[in-house]
Amino acid sequence: YAESSYCQGKFVEMNYALQDIFDNARSSDDKLQAYFTLVRALGAQNKLPEALETGLFFLSELGEPIVISSDTKAIFLAEFSKTKHMLDGKTDDDLLSMSIMTNKTK
């Protein structure tokens, strides 16, 4: 439901659905898709700093904490924008044809 609300631009409904997932998830794996949806939705709303903070928070939950300074935050935002630009115009097939990550916990 959260993903479909995101796709329809119904961000308030999406947030309620995501909160349900976060409240009831038993593991990080249960939260992964929800955080992915949340970060994409924040990016779609041009809330890049919030998207960055959310992504970094979840990385920390996964055991990959990243310390942020003001310089680091600016670098991340620039890299995030660059990556977003690189993905513009890519189709699902383009992304699906990329090699699969081998470390399933990352």
Side-chain angles (χ1 to χ4, degrees):
Y1 183 75
E3 180 77 15
S4 65
S5 295
Y6 157 70
C7 290
Q8 295 174 44
K10 297 179 180 179
F11 298 116
V12 173
E13 289 179 31
M14 177 205 70
N15 284 328
Y16 284 123
L18 290 175
Q19 194 57 55
D20 265 353
I21 294 167
F22 297 142
D23 290 345
N24 295 298
R26 296 181 182 169
S27 69
S28 294
D29 284 346
D30 293 342
K31 299 176 189 177
L32 180 62
Q33 185 62 41
Y35 272 109
F36 182 66
T37 299
L38 178 56
V39 169
R40 288 188 311 158
L42 290 168
Q45 296 172 81
N46 208 25
K47 297 179 179 179
L48 299 182
E50 288 178 56
L52 174 63
E53 291 295 328
T54 301
L56 292 175
F57 171 78
F58 191 60
L59 283 174
S60 180
E61 275 199 3
L62 293 173
E64 300 292 336
I66 299 175
V67 179
I68 300 293
S69 69
S70 59
D71 290 341
T72 308
K73 191 171 185 175
I75 292 167
F76 273 116
L77 286 173
E79 291 298 320
F80 182 82
S81 294
K82 220 171 17 175
T83 301
K84 184 178 177 190
H85 178 70
M86 287 173 28
L87 292 174
D88 282 345
K90 299 283 186 208
T91 66
D92 288 344
D93 288 335
D94 292 337
L95 298 176
L96 291 171
S97 68
M98 297 175 76
S99 60
I100 296 174
M101 290 179 59
T102 56
N103 186 338
K104 297 205 184 272
T105 63
K106 300 292 177 187

